[in-house]
Amino acid sequence: MRQPLVAITSDVRTFENYTWHAAPDQYLMAAYDAAKVIPLIVPSFGEGLDIDAILDGVDGVLVTGSKSNVHPELYGASASAAHEPYDPARDATSLPLIRRAIERGIPLLAICRGIQELNVALGGTLATEIQELDGRMDHRAPQSDAQAERFAIRHPVHIKPGSCLAQVMQSDSIKVNSVHRQAIDKPAAQLEIEAVADDGTIEAVSVKNARSFAVGVQWHPEYWVKSDSPSRKIFEAFGDAARAHKASRERLHAAE
């Protein structure tokens, strides 16, 4: 069987007088090397895209992290400097892509900004500058010019027994990295909390009654898939779900 194709969200960036629709290499390589799928970057054209046409041709959706944040007006908050930077073209693309992938039962893995987009897409809200909230730890990356130090694995998350993530990890606790200043505030009703940090910050969610793998994590497993077993397990589970979806699609086509 050919490798599944997986849609990857894109950020819109301006560089050397060009506008780019791009995704970081770590996500693409993790999808390719660990999930064993072929990643395809979806341009952030918003309403100009035929979402169903895209989903007709793929067997999974990977929603990446990003420097930008979901625009607060999309979850009923007022925009401020604390919420910046924004990427409205990505918002207009990724949120409907997420909703439709869930409706169609297409495997979904959402990382960092991705878990926040997943929550907002389904009606939840976000909190910003969480390190300033009472009782919260500082979830931002350590100050360093070295990416390996910024993405270092440094704190535990506690996994809900019997959850999708518990089945993937075969553990009730793992250690993760932390590179964020926003997090889920009010979870969407359609989401199940799968894991939390020591300070109560929501670190992972799944979609209730999902027809396929549909998980969001706040940390960055893409960075350590070659050396960290929990990071690799997440991508392997996503890849397995994409292959199962592809096989199911092919059986349906053969029966027509």
Side-chain angles (χ1 to χ4, degrees):
M1 184 173 67
R2 294 179 180 177
Q3 285 177 282
L5 304 179
V6 166
I8 309 287
T9 52
S10 63
D11 302 319
V12 180
R13 296 285 186 266
T14 301
F15 178 66
E16 293 185 345
N17 296 319
Y18 288 95
T19 298
W20 300 75
H21 294 247
D25 179 70
Q26 283 90 350
Y27 296 94
L28 303 177
M29 293 306 299
Y32 184 72
D33 286 338
K36 305 298 184 186
V37 299
I38 297 176
L40 299 177
I41 298 174
V42 176
S44 287
F45 290 162
E47 294 181 358
L49 288 176
D50 184 338
I51 297 295
D52 275 315
I54 293 168
L55 295 177
D56 283 346
V58 301
D59 295 291
V61 173
L62 174 59
V63 190
T64 67
S66 176
K67 177 74 172 178
S68 67
N69 293 316
V70 179
H71 199 285
E73 290 180 357
L74 293 170
Y75 52 91
S78 299
S80 73
H83 297 89
E84 295 175 351
Y86 304 128
D87 188 342
R90 169 161 169 161
D91 293 340
T93 306
S94 58
L95 270 63
L97 181 67
I98 288 167
R99 285 191 286 262
R100 191 64 180 133
I102 292 169
E103 289 169 0
R104 292 183 52 167
I106 295 173
L108 175 78
L109 175 59
I111 295 172
C112 194
R113 188 196 209 269
I115 190 179
Q116 296 169 19
E117 289 172 296
L118 172 60
N119 190 47
V120 172
L122 298 179
T125 65
L126 306 177
T128 194
E129 306 305 329
I130 59 172
Q131 70 278 357
E132 298 176 3
L133 301 178
D134 288 344
R136 296 293 187 95
M137 60 185 279
D138 192 342
H139 287 261
R140 295 173 297 179
Q143 292 288 333
S144 176
D145 291 331
Q147 284 292 81
E149 292 180 8
R150 295 185 68 248
F151 284 83
I153 294 173
R154 60 194 180 95
H155 76 79
V157 298
H158 306 286
I159 301 171
K160 180 180 178 180
S163 65
C164 175
L165 197 60
Q167 294 176 31
V168 170
M169 297 299 174
Q170 294 295 298
S171 176
D172 59 5
S173 179
I174 59 172
K175 293 193 72 173
V176 303
N177 49 23
S178 192
V179 191
H180 64 103
R181 59 189 179 88
Q182 290 195 315
I184 290 175
D185 184 15
K186 178 184 177 182
Q190 200 174 341
L191 294 181
E192 186 79 33
I193 297 173
E194 295 255 327
V196 297
D198 285 339
D199 64 355
T201 297
I202 296 172
E203 292 280 352
V205 297
S206 62
V207 177
K208 295 177 182 177
N209 302 314
R211 292 160 53 194
S212 184
F213 183 92
V215 170
V217 298
Q218 185 58 72
W219 66 92
H220 287 268
E222 78 284 351
Y223 199 89
W224 298 110
V225 289
K226 291 185 178 180
S227 60
D228 177 62
S229 177
S231 296
R232 191 170 189 87
K233 285 178 178 179
I234 291 174
F235 275 90
E236 289 176 339
F238 175 58
D240 288 344
R243 278 180 287 279
H245 186 270
K246 180 175 175 61
S248 177
R249 276 204 308 149
E250 291 178 345
R251 285 194 297 270
L252 286 174
H253 288 319
E256 291 176 353

